[in-house]
Amino acid sequence: MIKIYTTILLCVIFFAGTANTLFAQTASIAGKIVSEGKPVALASVVLAETNQGTVTDSYGYFLISNVIPGTYRIHISYIGYDNIERQLTLKNNESVTLTITLVNNRSMLDEVVVTGVSKATHVRENPVAVVSVSSKAITQTTAGNIIDVLVKNAPGVNAVKTGPNISKPFIRGLGYNRVLTLYDGIRQEGQQWGDEHGIEVDAYNIHRAEIIKGPASLMYGSDAVAGVVSLFPFIPNESDGKWHGNVTSEYQTNNNMAGNGFRLYYNKTHFLFALRGAYRLAKNYRNAVDGTVYNTNFNEKNLSALLGYKTSKGYTHVNASLYDNLQGIPDGSRDSLTRMFTKQINEGINDDIKHRPIVSPDELNTYQLSPLHQRIQHYRAYIKSAYETGKGNIDFLFALQQNIRREYNHPTKPQQAGMYVRLNTLNYDLHYNTPKIINIETTVGVNGMLQHNKSKDATDFPIPNYNLLDAGIFVYAKWKQKNVTISGGVRYDIRQVRWNDFYVKTDPLTGFNQQVNEQDTTGATLQFPAYTKSFTGVSASVGFAWHLTNNVSIKANVGRGYRAPNITEIASNGLDPGAHIFYIGNRNFDPEFSLQEDVGVSATFKAVSAEVSLFNNNIQHYIYLTMLADANGNPLTDAQGNKTYQYQQAAAQLYGMEAWLAVHPQKMEGFSFNNSLAIVYGFNKKQDYKKQDINGEYLPLIPPLKLVSNIAQKVKLRSKIITMLTPKVEVEFNAAQDRFLGLNSTETGTPGYHLINIGWIAEIQYLPAKTMQLLFEVNNITNKVYQSHLNRLKYFEYYSQSPSGHTGIYNMGRNICMKVILPF
């Protein structure tokens, strides 16, 4: 990886020094954006379908220099104003000056999205339920990781959590391999079936995000039956030939989390460059019941680089990134009398859980990870291109990823990994957008991946060494006529999974298991018999969006999604040490198919905006986990208390809704009152569970009803330094969840709770065109003791009940957060 970054930096130095002499024929666009005679600061000015653009300064001025001569569409937008688009033709060495007046329209909140469609399109024209999370929303949200940021900004999105830094996205009650995560259009492949690690991306480098709520297999293939979380990294859009950058620094008091990130970027005429990095570390988090929760600390590093070349016809980007995370592995073991956390120091039958030593205060209050921890590394290198070809255009993506996952769970031999797997993935994607014919835009494409997973020097083998081949072909079309848009398409996928016999035996010197060669299997156990199977599936989608008036729109969509069983569902036969679960899979599983109907209505007026989305999702061959129990109903566990779960398959149904209401009176400039509501119900349709209530009728990991309300008021100050102050208050209510999978104690019910968060955002102008943001926020200000229903730590308890009646581990207590974003 060091060689890659060295090569990139050398190329940048060369390109930066020769760009002016090679490409001297350029043009520029300058101007001022105003509204009601006043300048509009921070308005976005972009040359459509290019990476060139900028934002206006505090006086409303902008400049886009070093533009290649040609014809462009210039797009001007700012939240609360009507968007404006004009066409310009620029000649060699020409300088164009514009004065553009924006019309105030507080109802104009229609974001442009690209996920799940052939070209960028407005949300109101996309029949699929999709949410766009802006750069502003991301930077002004304080949370433990990027998924938690999205949860706060997108109704219907939740997260299964295993501590502050480990969050798995759930959309409308479905997660893991049913939610596809994209990074700059690339499938994020990193053993995502696991509970105990999060999404391997740099949160400080995510510029914006889009979330599809519902089957999106049409564009992406397997694993998108619940939806897509699409993360877009920062790409420079200023083209003034100057170096720019920013620094992000934050601190959170609950777990002493300290984070620092930087961006350094350059963009001129044909070439652009960006270097980005981040470092975050935290101690163990705290709450009023558990005190300091042992082994929830982490240490995360990120580094990435971008080198791009652009013309008036398109662009090519070459990217590389690395992610390295050290993460504690909590197990919840405690002293039976004091409920203080204890630690494992022996192995196997020598490990007496009831008499483990108590963790010392020094071990609780440290950034240093314990010997029992995991290390996740993710490397990514890819090339991404988009160019016009006649009246159409072609998009190409080719990526290489490597995910390395080690889990150290041997206290007597801390350098020996219990799990050590390496996953190599090659991704490819080719789209052709045909010329528009009779108002019809058509896209045809092919995409897929090749994978190879291998266990290295490990002692636990929950999955085999396997090879995976995935390919899909699709066609998508969109027809637009006046106020009506109809779109849809069809896709065919094939996925082949195979592995050879996988033998394991005990090493007599260490007493640990080890993988053995197929040529010498004496005394070995065949843990994974050889397997080869192909899965195929047809995905489809059709829907419409209709603008009844300028203010009211309706849309509806029917989508069929496909998902091949993941490797752990079909192959598992062993302990996952990080999850503290012994998994058992099923080699005879069929693919999942979902059929979801969506209906949505949105209304946007000058003082009020609202949206309601309803959905119904029926899944064939739904795969789920249930705990195994003995004849007395007690969970099957090993010597360390690890429970056994088995994958099963049945039909399922999920239905629910999301609603959103925003109040923004024109007479109260800067005031906003936003409210969101989300609810989902999930049912196992297996005949044996009909009317069995919590004894099998309900699906696992279904979030309860959630209501979030926040109120904010922007206050423009007369100060030349602090130009804006925005105080805000947020109340989050989660209802009790009494519809849970209680069969064999797989899940337990969860009481309802509410959280109150307060804070403010200050904008500080320290240079004429540079504004620093200072954020201060207190989350869970009342220090509420609560457990989220999707908090896996609520089950990390070896004793069923404490003297005070509390069980499991609770969520984070009061947390004071401070963040500074300083551009330069």
Side-chain angles (χ1 to χ4, degrees):
M1 295 303 296
I2 294 176
K3 292 182 178 179
I4 292 176
Y5 290 115
T6 302
T7 303
I8 290 174
L9 289 173
L10 290 175
C11 290
V12 170
I13 293 171
F14 172 77
F15 288 142
T18 59
N20 284 332
T21 58
L22 289 175
F23 304 100
Q25 302 296 318
T26 64
S28 64
I29 306 170
K32 185 176 183 179
I33 309 297
V34 298
S35 177
E36 299 178 351
K38 299 179 181 179
V40 178
L42 302 178
S44 173
V45 184
V46 177
L47 297 183
E49 299 180 358
T50 76
N51 289 314
Q52 289 183 271
T54 187
V55 294
T56 55
D57 62 19
S58 57
Y59 303 104
Y61 290 106
F62 71 90
L63 172 66
I64 304 176
S65 56
N66 301 305
V67 181
I68 300 167
T71 299
Y72 298 91
R73 288 181 297 114
I74 184 170
H75 185 84
I76 298 95
S77 62
Y78 188 67
I79 294 295
Y81 295 84
D82 288 324
N83 295 335
I84 291 180
E85 190 169 272
R86 294 184 181 180
Q87 183 167 302
L88 295 175
T89 299
L90 302 176
K91 300 178 182 179
N92 290 340
N93 300 317
E94 183 179 16
S95 179
V96 175
T97 302
L98 305 172
T99 299
I100 297 173
T101 300
L102 295 182
V103 178
N104 191 300
N105 183 354
R106 298 293 297 277
S107 66
M108 191 61 195
L109 301 174
D110 192 18
E111 297 276 359
V112 174
V113 300
V114 298
T115 300
V117 292
S118 57
K119 293 182 179 179
T121 186
H122 289 280
V123 170
R124 292 195 301 170
E125 295 177 0
N126 189 350
V128 178
V130 59
V131 176
S132 178
V133 182
S134 68
S135 173
K136 182 178 180 180
I138 291 174
T139 57
Q140 294 185 355
T141 300
T142 56
N145 55 73
I146 186 61
I147 299 302
D148 289 350
V149 169
L150 302 186
V151 168
K152 284 193 170 187
N153 289 279
V157 180
N158 295 88
V160 166
K161 295 182 64 62
T162 313
N165 196 41
I166 304 177
S167 297
K168 292 286 190 180
F170 266 54
I171 298 176
R172 292 176 168 177
L174 299 172
Y176 299 109
N177 281 81
R178 297 184 183 94
V179 172
L180 179 63
T181 302
L182 303 177
Y183 177 86
D184 204 10
I186 304 166
R187 296 174 62 107
Q188 182 76 11
E189 292 293 325
Q191 312 284 4
Q192 55 265 35
W193 49 266
D195 284 294
E196 63 283 2
H197 62 93
I199 306 300
E200 302 92 345
V201 299
D202 178 4
Y204 294 148
N205 189 38
I206 301 304
H207 184 63
R208 62 186 183 90
E210 294 171 2
I211 301 166
I212 293 178
K213 295 186 287 188
S217 302
L218 176 62
M219 284 290 181
Y220 305 109
S222 180
D223 299 358
V225 295
V228 175
V229 173
S230 188
L231 305 173
F232 295 90
F234 172 80
I235 297 175
N237 58 12
E238 293 95 340
S239 56
D240 55 7
K242 298 179 181 179
W243 288 95
H244 297 273
N246 74 8
V247 173
T248 299
S249 185
E250 68 174 322
Y251 182 77
Q252 299 183 14
T253 60
N254 185 283
N255 59 348
N256 304 104
M257 196 282 285
N260 294 282
F262 76 92
R263 293 177 188 165
L264 181 65
Y265 53 94
Y266 173 92
N267 189 349
K268 182 178 181 180
T269 315
H270 288 276
F271 294 99
L272 59 95
F273 167 75
L275 181 66
R276 302 153 299 203
Y279 182 52
R280 300 168 68 238
L281 73 165
K283 298 180 181 179
N284 300 303
Y285 82 88
R286 302 183 291 273
N287 62 55
V289 171
D290 303 305
T292 303
V293 181
Y294 182 55
N295 248 5
T296 56
N297 49 355
F298 64 87
N299 185 315
E300 178 188 303
K301 309 177 192 69
N302 290 276
L303 184 65
S304 63
L306 159 68
L307 178 64
Y309 173 80
K310 58 189 176 178
T311 72
S312 60
K313 298 295 184 180
Y315 68 88
T316 294
H317 291 168
V318 179
N319 297 263
S321 67
L322 64 87
Y323 169 97
D324 193 340
N325 182 24
L326 295 171
Q327 178 76 53
I329 304 177
D331 67 7
S333 69
R334 309 193 192 209
D335 178 74
S336 58
L337 296 178
T338 65
R339 282 195 93 238
M340 296 179 68
F341 286 98
T342 60
K343 60 181 179 180
Q344 181 184 355
I345 60 172
N346 293 307
E347 307 265 0
I349 61 174
N350 296 320
D351 178 28
D352 185 350
I353 298 176
K354 294 183 178 181
H355 295 91
R356 287 180 176 179
I358 293 174
V359 179
S360 70
D362 288 341
E363 291 174 296
L364 288 173
N365 186 32
T366 180
Y367 288 106
Q368 183 69 39
L369 274 77
S370 80
L372 305 187
H373 66 275
Q374 60 176 316
R375 183 181 185 186
I376 308 297
Q377 295 167 282
H378 195 95
Y379 303 100
R380 184 189 296 108
Y382 64 98
I383 183 170
K384 184 177 182 180
S385 297
Y387 285 96
E388 293 181 12
T389 54
K391 293 185 179 181
N393 58 73
I394 190 167
D395 299 336
F396 169 76
L397 187 151
F398 181 83
L400 296 172
Q401 299 180 75
Q402 184 178 84
N403 186 273
I404 300 172
R405 176 177 166 191
R406 302 179 184 91
E407 295 180 355
Y408 298 96
N409 64 324
H410 293 297
T412 60
K413 195 175 182 181
Q415 301 305 315
Q416 173 64 60
M419 179 189 290
Y420 185 176
V421 289
R422 184 195 64 199
L423 178 66
N424 291 330
T425 304
L426 182 154
N427 302 90
Y428 61 91
D429 193 340
L430 181 65
H431 291 179
Y432 176 61
N433 302 307
T434 66
K436 183 184 293 187
I437 302 174
I438 320 178
N439 291 330
I440 298 177
E441 297 178 0
T442 304
T443 301
V444 294
V446 58
N447 51 27
M449 61 181 174
L450 301 173
Q451 276 190 343
H452 174 66
N453 185 82
K454 181 178 177 60
S455 287
K456 306 289 282 183
D457 180 21
T459 64
D460 298 299
F461 308 96
I463 57 175
N465 299 334
Y466 69 88
N467 291 287
L468 182 148
L469 169 65
D470 185 270
I473 185 170
F474 71 90
V475 59
Y476 171 89
K478 182 177 75 172
W479 175 82
K480 182 179 179 182
Q481 182 67 38
K482 295 183 178 179
N483 295 329
V484 178
T485 303
I486 298 175
S487 62
V490 64
R491 177 189 181 99
Y492 177 78
D493 277 285
I494 183 169
R495 173 174 290 188
Q496 184 189 74
V497 182
R498 64 179 178 86
W499 64 80
N500 298 324
D501 287 338
F502 189 107
Y503 288 90
V504 174
K505 72 177 181 180
T506 302
D507 184 339
L509 297 178
T510 65
F512 298 137
N513 286 336
Q514 62 179 357
Q515 181 183 353
V516 297
N517 193 292
E518 293 180 40
Q519 280 70 43
D520 182 16
T521 60
T522 304
T525 300
L526 180 58
Q527 184 162 339
F528 303 105
Y531 177 90
T532 300
K533 188 171 182 178
S534 294
F535 302 93
T536 60
V538 175
S539 306
S541 178
V542 62
F544 75 91
W546 180 19
H547 304 326
L548 281 79
T549 69
N550 289 334
N551 303 101
V552 180
S553 299
I554 64 172
K555 56 184 180 180
N557 191 78
V558 178
R560 185 179 196 258
Y562 146 83
R563 182 179 79 90
N566 66 38
I567 189 65
T568 186
E569 292 166 343
I570 56 178
S572 288
N573 186 26
L575 175 70
D576 183 342
H580 295 284
I581 291 175
F582 193 100
Y583 290 105
I584 300 176
N586 190 320
R587 297 160 63 94
N588 299 314
F589 276 160
D590 295 316
E592 289 184 349
F593 290 97
S594 68
L595 182 65
Q596 179 165 311
E597 303 90 24
D598 282 274
V599 178
V601 180
S602 62
T604 55
F605 300 97
K606 291 184 177 181
V608 177
S609 302
E611 182 175 349
V612 177
S613 296
L614 305 173
F615 69 92
N616 178 56
N617 191 3
N618 287 280
I619 304 178
Q620 296 177 331
H621 313 306
Y622 173 82
I623 299 172
Y624 63 100
L625 270 174
T626 185
M627 187 187 298
L628 297 185
D630 59 21
N632 297 319
N634 298 315
L636 294 177
T637 61
D638 61 12
Q640 282 75 43
N642 300 306
K643 299 174 182 178
T644 301
Y645 283 75
Q646 185 175 43
Y647 289 99
Q648 300 187 29
Q649 198 165 40
Q653 181 185 17
L654 299 100
Y655 60 84
M657 65 169 291
E658 296 102 33
W660 173 74
L661 173 67
V663 180
H664 38 74
Q666 279 194 310
K667 294 183 179 180
M668 299 176 64
E669 185 177 357
F671 175 84
S672 63
F673 179 41
N674 298 320
N675 305 270
S676 66
L677 172 71
I679 187 170
V680 57
Y681 298 96
F683 297 91
N684 190 319
K685 306 301 287 186
K686 188 175 181 178
Q687 190 63 31
D688 294 349
Y689 299 144
K690 188 175 182 180
K691 297 183 179 180
Q692 292 301 305
D693 201 57
I694 66 172
N695 294 313
E697 184 178 6
Y698 303 127
L699 297 182
L701 296 174
I702 299 298
L705 178 147
K706 181 178 180 180
L707 173 64
V708 179
S709 296
N710 62 69
I711 186 169
Q713 174 66 64
K714 288 185 177 180
V715 181
K716 293 183 178 179
L717 304 177
R718 296 182 179 180
S719 170
K720 294 183 179 180
I721 300 177
I722 303 178
T723 59
M724 187 84 71
L725 186 65
T726 307
K728 58 181 182 177
V729 179
E730 179 182 81
V731 178
E732 176 186 330
F733 170 74
N734 289 265
Q737 182 55 288
D738 53 9
R739 297 171 178 262
F740 58 92
L741 179 56
L743 184 67
N744 293 331
S745 300
T746 298
E747 287 187 320
T748 59
T750 307
Y753 60 91
H754 68 273
L755 303 175
I756 300 175
N757 310 317
I758 66 170
W760 49 259
I761 303 168
E763 296 180 9
I764 302 173
Q765 188 169 328
Y766 67 98
L767 289 174
K770 298 295 182 181
T771 300
M772 176 179 68
Q773 293 187 68
L774 177 61
L775 286 74
F776 177 85
E777 189 169 302
V778 184
N779 292 322
N780 190 6
I781 190 171
T782 63
N783 205 24
K784 181 77 174 180
V785 173
Y786 73 100
Q787 287 177 323
S788 164
H789 187 67
L790 300 188
N791 174 17
R792 289 183 62 250
L793 295 181
K794 73 185 287 242
Y795 303 104
F796 282 28
E797 175 73 81
Y798 287 124
Y799 299 100
S800 60
Q801 186 166 313
S802 71
S804 61
H806 296 297
T807 59
I809 298 175
Y810 283 72
N811 287 69
M812 183 180 285
R814 182 186 299 114
N815 190 22
I816 301 174
C817 310
M818 293 157 283
K819 182 191 285 188
V820 177
I821 303 170
L822 178 69
F824 60 87

